[in-house]
Amino acid sequence: MNMHNVSWVRQDMVSPSARPDRQNGRLEWTRKNLFNGWISTFLTLASVAAILWLAVAVAPWLGNSVWQATSLAECRQLLDGAPGACWAVIRDRWPQLLFGFYPPHLYWRPVLAFALLFAPFAPVLFRSPPARALWFSAVYPGIAYWLIWGGSLWFPTAVYLGFAVAVGLISLSARISHGFAISVAILGAVLWWLYAVEPLTSTANALLPITLDVVASRDIGGFLLSIVIGVTGIAMSLPLGILLALGRRSSLPLIHLLSVVFIEFIRGVPLITLLFTASLLLNYFLPPGTNFDLILRVVIMVTLFASAYMAEVIRGGLAALPRGQYEAAEALGLDYWKAQRLVILPQALKISIPGIVNSFIGLFKDTTLVMFIGLLDPIALAAAIRANTNWQGIYWELFIFIGAVFFVFCFGMSRYSMYLERRLKTDHR
């Protein structure tokens, strides 16, 4: 038998060999990530030195904290000259930092509104939300308004009826043209809100009163105010941003021009200017005697401001999609809105998640600017607390607490966006 003509084929796989010992363990990870060259070594040592210096400087101040005191003078007396933090100011004034001057016996109302906030976000937080959660997402804003501000339950109900009027007008006039139907629906809803809401609320409240104690907007402050403005701005700026992004890419000249003018004007004006406009100038353009709540005006301006930036983020996601996706939607016979809803926007929004969440985080932090127009956000309340004779001179503890709370909210949004990106990542499955 000629051995040179025989082919040898291995019948079993070779088991993988273990990595060499010098390439395993924490020492190897430390060498590759912390001491990989002289620049990496220098930066590592400098960072360790800075952390140690900061820990040595701050540890005695944090370790010698006072939690039980009624004034800064009492804190200093308990510290007896030693360095230490006076966290007693947070223990003494935390309800004011959270709720502003909201009546203490009504704290359950904003707490309940915040607890119910998780249900409207069920379509985003969970893969398959129940159908009831979708309905609750639509009615939650009215419930939250009623719980926080009080008054008659029939007022938000009458406002919601304005949307029902708009839907009815669209269904009646859709056969003429879509543009005409939308215009008629908007006009009908505005007229309803201007002339029908107040009489309907008064009549319904006289027949079946369902009311809560009214809380004035000037009493709402602290993190409650920041959450109200931030959550409302976030929830409303995303759909408006999508419409503006689609309008800027529209082939209709008028819609394209209006979208571009709005986006560029809003992006070119500082937010504080818009807030002053909402506070001082907006009433001059309203009919005499109109009572337009200041917080509502601020929410509108913050939403418009965030919508302009959101539109550019989403436009970037739309531009990142290859032309083949649009052609595929056309090949399926989908019209414009179905193509956007089923093919284009899901992919564009997935691409834009980092930019969208970045805009949300910036918007939530920008709520502190309302202090310049007289609203009592946490920063303004910190100044008011420091002006009190009992806590005059306190500084770091208040701002560290406020910064920590903002960090928790912003870090939570950032981590959830990373989870959402991983959940929606389908390119390598």
Side-chain angles (χ1 to χ4, degrees):
M1 182 177 181
N2 189 359
M3 300 298 295
H4 295 286
N5 296 330
V6 178
S7 298
W8 295 91
V9 179
R10 180 178 293 276
Q11 300 297 322
D12 54 345
M13 297 295 295
V14 178
S15 58
S17 302
R19 296 177 63 186
D21 293 337
R22 64 179 181 274
Q23 296 183 7
N24 289 326
R26 298 179 180 178
L27 290 178
E28 179 63 18
W29 181 91
T30 302
R31 185 188 68 81
K32 287 185 176 181
N33 295 277
L34 301 180
F35 300 99
N36 186 18
W38 68 270
I39 297 179
S40 177
T41 302
F42 172 77
L43 293 176
T44 299
L45 295 177
S47 301
V48 171
I51 293 173
L52 291 176
W53 175 83
L54 184 63
V56 170
V58 176
W61 185 75
L62 290 176
N64 195 25
S65 300
V66 175
W67 291 90
Q68 298 282 351
T70 58
S71 65
L72 181 59
E74 186 177 349
C75 276
R76 291 173 176 172
Q77 184 178 1
L78 293 174
L79 291 172
D80 195 20
C86 185
W87 297 112
V89 64
I90 306 300
R91 185 184 180 91
D92 184 53
R93 295 301 183 96
W94 70 267
Q96 188 175 357
L97 288 171
L98 293 182
F99 301 103
F101 296 99
Y102 207 89
H105 67 284
L106 299 179
Y107 282 166
W108 65 271
R109 284 164 42 179
V111 171
L112 178 60
F114 180 75
L116 294 176
L117 178 63
F118 293 95
F121 287 113
V124 179
L125 297 175
F126 305 105
R127 293 178 182 269
S128 300
R132 294 181 180 179
L134 298 176
W135 285 103
F136 188 77
S137 301
V139 302
Y140 172 78
I143 296 175
Y145 173 86
W146 182 57
L147 286 174
I148 295 175
W149 274 271
S152 174
L153 178 61
W154 298 111
F155 175 75
T157 304
V159 172
Y160 273 102
L161 288 177
F163 293 102
V165 170
V167 173
L169 291 175
I170 287 179
S171 62
L172 291 175
S173 56
R175 296 180 179 180
I176 301 176
S177 70
H178 291 288
F180 177 76
I182 294 175
S183 302
V184 169
I186 294 175
L187 180 60
V190 171
L191 292 176
W192 175 273
W193 291 328
L194 290 177
Y195 298 105
V197 168
E198 187 174 351
L200 181 61
T201 302
S202 302
T203 303
N205 196 48
L207 297 175
L208 182 61
I210 306 176
T211 60
L212 292 175
D213 293 341
V214 177
V215 177
S217 293
R218 63 177 180 273
D219 296 330
I220 300 175
F223 286 102
L224 173 60
L225 178 64
S226 296
I227 292 174
V228 167
I229 297 175
V231 171
T232 307
I234 287 171
M236 295 177 63
S237 64
L238 181 58
L240 288 178
I242 292 174
L243 293 178
L244 287 171
L246 295 177
R248 184 156 191 171
R249 292 171 59 88
S250 175
S251 58
L252 300 176
L254 180 59
I255 295 178
H256 174 78
L257 178 62
L258 292 177
S259 301
V260 170
V261 170
F262 176 85
I263 292 172
E264 297 302 330
F265 174 76
I266 295 295
R267 292 175 67 211
V269 178
L271 177 58
I272 189 64
T273 304
L274 298 177
L275 293 178
F276 276 116
T277 302
S279 175
L280 302 175
L281 301 179
L282 198 58
N283 276 338
Y284 291 105
F285 299 96
L286 298 174
T290 302
N291 184 18
F292 201 3
D293 189 84
L294 178 57
I295 295 180
L296 179 58
R297 285 180 271 164
V298 169
V299 166
I300 293 174
M301 286 300 180
V302 168
T303 301
L304 295 179
F305 181 82
S307 299
Y309 285 88
M310 190 65 62
E312 290 300 283
V313 172
I314 296 172
R315 187 171 69 91
L318 293 171
L321 290 181
R323 179 60 189 169
Q325 297 297 319
Y326 296 87
E327 295 174 349
E330 294 175 359
L332 292 173
L334 301 177
D335 60 18
Y336 177 80
W337 291 110
K338 286 186 178 180
Q340 294 294 334
R341 181 171 60 89
L342 299 176
V343 179
I344 306 303
L345 282 178
Q347 300 181 74
L349 292 177
K350 184 180 71 172
I351 295 173
S352 306
I353 285 176
I356 291 174
V357 177
N358 183 61
S359 299
F360 287 168
I361 292 174
L363 170 62
F364 185 69
K365 292 188 295 183
D366 285 344
T367 57
T368 56
L369 293 175
V370 299
M371 66 174 295
F372 293 107
I373 59 173
L375 292 179
L376 298 176
D377 76 306
I379 304 296
L381 286 175
I385 293 172
R386 292 173 55 227
N388 187 277
T389 54
N390 290 332
W391 300 108
Q392 193 170 13
I394 200 81
Y395 186 80
W396 288 106
E397 292 84 351
L398 287 170
F399 290 107
I400 289 176
F401 173 76
I402 294 171
V405 174
F406 271 101
F407 174 79
V408 169
F409 279 99
C410 297
F411 183 73
M413 286 190 282
S414 174
R415 300 303 297 181
Y416 181 75
S417 72
M418 297 174 64
Y419 159 75
L420 196 61
E421 286 183 74
R422 292 192 299 268
R423 196 182 82 180
L424 300 177
K425 188 176 183 180
T426 58
D427 49 349
H428 295 295
R429 289 184 181 178

